[in-house]
C-alpha cells in the first residue's frame, strides 16, 4: 500500500501530460484556396468546407508543392502540402 502512495505523484504527472497532449489540436484553418495548374491562367478555387476525396479534389503528398493556401494568392500561408488535383466541379474563389 505504501508503494502505491509513493507512485501517486508520478501517476498524476503522466495523466496530466497525456491530457495535455490530447487537447493540443493542430491549427486547421477553415478557409482554403487552390490554384488550378492545368488551367493555364490563374484560376483559384474556394475549398472552404469541401472535404478532399475522389469527387472533389486531392493533394498528392508525394510532390513537394503547396496544394492549398489560406487566401487566393501565392503569397498566403500554406494549408495543405502536395500537388493539387481537381477531381470534380469546385466553386471559383471570388476576388
Amino acid at each position: 500500500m505504501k508503494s502505491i502512495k509513493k507512485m501517486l505523484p508520478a501517476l498524476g504527472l503522466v495523466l496530466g501530460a497525456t491530457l495535455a497532449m490530447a487537447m493540443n489540436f493542430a491549427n486547421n484553418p477553415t478557409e482554403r484556396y487552390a490554384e488550378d495548374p492545368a488551367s493555364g491562367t490563374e484560376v483559384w478555387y474556394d475549398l472552404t468546407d469541401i472535404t478532399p476525396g475522389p469527387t472533389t479534389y486531392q493533394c498528392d503528398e508525394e510532390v513537394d508543392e503547396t496544394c492549398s493556401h489560406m487566401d487566393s494568392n501565392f503569397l498566403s500561408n500554406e494549408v495543405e502540402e502536395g500537388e493539387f488535383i481537381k477531381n470534380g466541379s469546385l466553386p471559383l474563389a471570388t476576388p
Side-chain angles (χ1 to χ4, degrees):
M1 188 69 172
K2 288 185 180 183
S3 64
I4 293 176
K5 285 184 181 180
K6 289 182 182 180
M7 292 178 59
L8 284 178
L11 291 174
L13 183 63
V14 169
L15 178 64
T18 303
L19 290 174
M21 291 186 69
M23 297 298 170
N24 188 11
F25 300 113
N27 183 15
N28 191 8
T30 56
E31 292 187 37
R32 60 187 74 212
Y33 301 89
E35 194 252 344
D36 188 358
S39 68
T41 61
E42 266 194 47
V43 175
W44 287 86
Y45 297 108
D46 185 357
L47 305 179
T48 305
D49 298 325
I50 295 179
T51 304
T55 60
T56 56
Y57 77 96
Q58 293 173 317
C59 293
D60 182 3
E61 296 175 355
E62 293 181 10
V63 179
D64 189 26
E65 293 180 10
T66 299
C67 184
S68 65
H69 298 263
M70 291 179 79
D71 201 1
S72 59
N73 66 53
F74 291 107
L75 301 176
S76 65
N77 293 336
E78 177 182 282
V79 178
E80 297 169 292
E81 187 176 320
E83 180 183 21
F84 175 74
I85 301 169
K86 181 180 175 219
N87 296 328
S89 63
L90 297 169
L92 292 173
T94 55

